[in-house]
Amino acid sequence: MNFQGARAVRDLFVAALIFGLSFTSNQALAQDNGAIHLGVQTCAASTCHGAVQPWQNSVVLQNEFVVWSTHDAHSGAYKALQSDRGKRIAARLGIGAAHESGTCLQCHADNVSEDRRGNNFDITSGVGCESCHGGAENWLGTHVSGLSDRPTLVSLGMYPTDDPVKRAELCLGCHQANPDRIVSHRLMAAGHPRLSFELDTFSINQPAHVRIDDDYRQRKPVTDGANLWAIGQAVAAGNQLRALAKSMRGRNHLFPEFTFFECGSCHHSYTNAKWSPQPGVGLGPGEPQLYDANLVMLRAIAEGRDSKLADTLKSQTRALHRATRQGASAVARAADTLAGTVDGMTRNLVENPLREADLKATLATLVSRDHSSDYVDFGAAEQATMAAAALLDSLGRSAPQQLESLYEATESPTRYSSSGFRSALAKLRDYLN
Ligand code: HEC
Ligand code: HEC
Ligand code: HEC
Ligand code: HEC
């Protein structure tokens, strides 16, 4: 076997260890359309997307490349693998150089196979235009002709980033678990940052390289921040549940994959016990709890719109938590059931977007005392903080001091205190009343 071949086999082996046996180095992502990727330079000409300043008379900004290369973390994703931290993680995992390992490149670059790399393709560009917009081989010609409409381009393989469900699947493919990519505790233990994601916040922070104006609205549907938030929660919960079910089914070892659990249910000091039973979860102190932050958010949305759905979510979530006492196949079954409910909710959110009254009700539920037992763990508190920001913004309300307190209370998972979070939440509750 030659060196490349040996490396590919080793990458597959390591990928299987890190992602569970389901993962192979060439697993298709949501946005993978099978086409040749032409490379960031192909998009970056000054009359295309590489202008220094936004163009005033153009339908798109045209400085997307400059925004991406100077302000967007994705352009540095490959370089992160060559940083001290990147090298340290790879050394601990024993996978050779991080920047040559498919295990890392899957998320840190546009890692299509060699035969799908065009002349200008450069792996060191990191997460480039085609990682999100899809390989351009079949749509570039029509796209530069300027005559094509959006549906035509999408039919030629351009990824529908404007569709909120598709966008969530795209981002979550690298930012959280999905059934094809189960991020392992081993990767975290080797020093990788903990992954957390919220679609609206991260879409703003990327930073966005679009201008939403009249002409954009003519070409594409626009989803406001609160609805992006809600759909992002539903897609994340569905992904997580299907990944959990898959991982539990294929299990032939003693321990389940720890990343499906709240990090803080194991990683907290035992000399300073928190001893907080969680009625919503149905488990007692001392029992590790599955990460359920997205489900907590979905329940808050349901409570204001459909109390029957809220009850179903509550009882099925509780059943899932309690199934962890019974074993792997009980967890897989409960996760499948709940995933069905969540998928129905995703469809409903697309067909009946949240309106002002729903946003107010959801925010009131999230900050209410009744929900305080949901914030024993860091995960739900972190999501509730990003939710509050998205909901306040969509309601046109500003509460900078109250949000600041929430951000402070969720700054670090290891220093998190639920009582500190609850008092920050009470400030927002008082302000809203
Ligand atoms: C499932 C996708 C995924 C895989 C696989 C992955 N990463 Fe990451 N990595 C991310 C994401 C997403 C972030 C950004 C997290 C955030 O800030 O929210 C990140 C962040 C990092 C950072 C911090 C970057 C910075 O600027 O601070 C380093 C270093 C890193 N990853 C190294 C690695 C190495 C080395 C590997 C392979 C062993 C790897 N990653 C595998 C998705 C992944
Ligand atoms: C991490 C994912 C991601 C990367 C990387 C990325 N984009 Fe985008 N892009 C988006 C999203 C999301 C939108 C907003 C949704 C939409 O308008 O389709 C968008 C919108 C756009 C638009 C606006 C389209 C319009 O109709 O107004 C252009 C143009 C664009 N991107 C070009 C680029 C170029 C060029 C690059 C590389 C230099 C790039 N993008 C890199 C995700 C990405
Ligand atoms: C191909 C994998 C991939 C996809 C798809 C992807 N990301 Fe990322 N994203 C990364 C990696 C890797 C990093 C970390 C880069 C670094 O810091 O070096 C990152 C970083 C980020 C950051 C900066 C995080 C921080 O802590 O500073 C934001 C914001 C972000 N991504 C938003 C998005 C959004 C929104 C989408 C979907 C439109 C998306 N990403 C799609 C891989 C991806
Ligand atoms: C079910 C319990 C459990 C859960 C949940 C859990 N871990 Fe761990 N973690 C452990 C154990 C056990 C170790 C190994 C400790 C050792 O090596 O001394 C560990 C080690 C680590 C380490 C390495 C620490 C060191 O000193 O070597 C990191 C970092 C880490 N975990 C991060 C996380 C993150 C992030 C999450 C959530 C995504 C998480 N863990 C969820 C049990 C857990």
Side-chain angles (χ1 to χ4, degrees):
M1 196 185 301
N2 64 19
F3 174 67
Q4 285 285 343
R7 200 160 75 198
V9 170
R10 188 202 58 203
D11 278 352
L12 255 166
F13 177 67
V14 172
L17 274 176
I18 295 191
F19 295 98
L21 292 167
S22 57
F23 181 88
T24 68
S25 303
N26 289 323
Q27 190 77 50
L29 276 173
Q31 71 277 25
D32 195 354
N33 61 14
I36 292 176
H37 287 219
L38 305 177
V40 171
Q41 283 314 320
T42 311
C43 318
S46 61
T47 51
C48 298
H49 299 291
V52 178
Q53 296 291 334
W55 283 28
Q56 291 312 318
N57 299 322
S58 165
V59 290
V60 302
L61 293 167
Q62 305 217 207
N63 69 339
E64 295 85 2
F65 169 75
V66 176
V67 173
W68 169 84
S69 58
T70 52
H71 302 295
D72 190 325
H74 295 114
S75 63
Y78 176 90
K79 290 178 201 85
L81 301 178
Q82 295 170 311
S83 68
D84 289 344
R85 187 177 188 178
K87 288 180 187 157
R88 207 162 49 235
I89 297 169
R92 285 175 178 157
L93 293 171
I95 57 173
H99 66 279
E100 290 174 355
S101 164
T103 306
C104 311
L105 290 169
Q106 287 300 312
C107 294
H108 282 263
D110 192 12
N111 193 36
V112 290
S113 53
E114 293 289 344
D115 56 321
R116 286 173 50 208
R117 298 180 180 187
N119 290 339
N120 286 329
F121 181 92
D122 181 356
I123 189 80
T124 71
S125 301
V127 178
C129 320
E130 289 162 292
S131 304
C132 292
H133 292 291
E137 178 190 18
N138 300 320
W139 55 257
L140 186 71
T142 319
H143 173 68
V144 294
S145 77
L147 298 171
S148 51
D149 54 17
R150 182 76 174 167
T152 309
L153 290 171
V154 170
S155 74
L156 292 171
M158 187 184 265
Y159 189 79
T161 38
D162 51 325
D163 175 328
V165 174
K166 294 287 178 199
R167 190 193 306 180
E169 285 168 357
L170 162 73
C171 314
L172 287 163
C174 297
H175 281 270
Q176 206 184 311
N178 73 22
D180 297 325
R181 264 193 195 169
I182 295 172
V183 184
S184 77
H185 182 259
R186 251 187 116 233
L187 182 62
M188 300 293 132
H192 196 277
R194 171 177 164 273
L195 297 184
S196 84
F197 189 77
E198 192 280 286
L199 185 57
D200 179 47
T201 308
F202 276 61
S203 291
I204 296 166
N205 289 358
Q206 188 187 352
H209 48 256
V210 301
R211 180 168 51 202
I212 311 266
D213 51 13
D214 289 345
D215 113 78
Y216 185 96
R217 285 172 205 281
Q218 273 174 12
R219 289 182 289 116
K220 292 176 176 178
V222 177
T223 310
D224 65 84
N227 280 289
L228 264 188
W229 164 73
I231 289 171
Q233 294 300 314
V235 175
N239 267 351
Q240 184 92 355
L241 289 164
R242 273 184 289 274
L244 172 65
K246 185 167 177 177
S247 139
M248 285 302 197
R249 266 198 198 94
R251 206 153 64 79
N252 55 3
H253 44 87
L254 185 56
F255 292 111
E257 176 45 71
F258 287 174
T259 44
F260 288 113
F261 291 80
E262 262 303 325
C263 313
S265 65
C266 298
H267 291 284
H268 68 92
S269 156
Y270 62 84
T271 50
N272 184 15
K274 54 179 181 172
W275 199 255
S276 314
Q278 297 192 57
V281 169
L283 296 177
E287 295 179 285
Q289 275 140 30
L290 289 170
Y291 176 86
D292 67 355
N294 305 117
L295 292 164
V296 171
M297 298 302 112
L298 291 182
R299 214 169 68 230
I301 296 169
E303 271 178 30
R305 305 183 110 194
D306 180 345
S307 57
K308 224 177 121 204
L309 174 63
D311 289 345
T312 307
L313 275 173
K314 191 170 185 174
S315 63
Q316 291 181 349
T317 302
R318 217 177 131 93
L320 173 68
H321 283 293
R322 293 178 68 96
T324 58
R325 286 175 174 163
Q326 290 152 23
S329 51
V331 172
R333 274 196 310 276
D336 281 339
T337 308
L338 190 47
T341 306
V342 167
D343 288 348
M345 207 167 160
T346 310
R347 283 192 297 276
N348 184 266
L349 284 165
V350 171
E351 285 157 17
N352 307 300
L354 301 176
R355 310 211 183 282
E356 194 176 331
D358 303 312
L359 306 186
K360 285 186 176 153
T362 305
L363 186 56
T365 304
L366 281 175
V367 302
S368 72
R369 280 201 184 79
D370 288 354
H371 264 248
S372 55
S373 74
D374 288 325
Y375 305 125
V376 171
D377 286 317
F378 177 77
E382 176 188 50
Q383 284 295 336
T385 300
M386 292 191 274
L391 290 165
L392 284 165
D393 190 56
S394 283
L395 286 166
R397 295 193 65 166
S398 111
Q401 282 167 342
Q402 291 78 2
L403 276 179
E404 194 48 45
S405 305
L406 289 175
Y407 286 128
E408 272 168 26
T410 49
E411 209 180 335
S412 152
T414 47
R415 287 195 306 275
Y416 175 69
S417 127
S418 59
S419 58
F421 182 73
R422 278 178 218 155
S423 47
L425 210 58
K427 284 189 203 158
L428 181 57
R429 187 164 59 229
D430 292 345
Y431 169 82
L432 292 171
N433 288 331

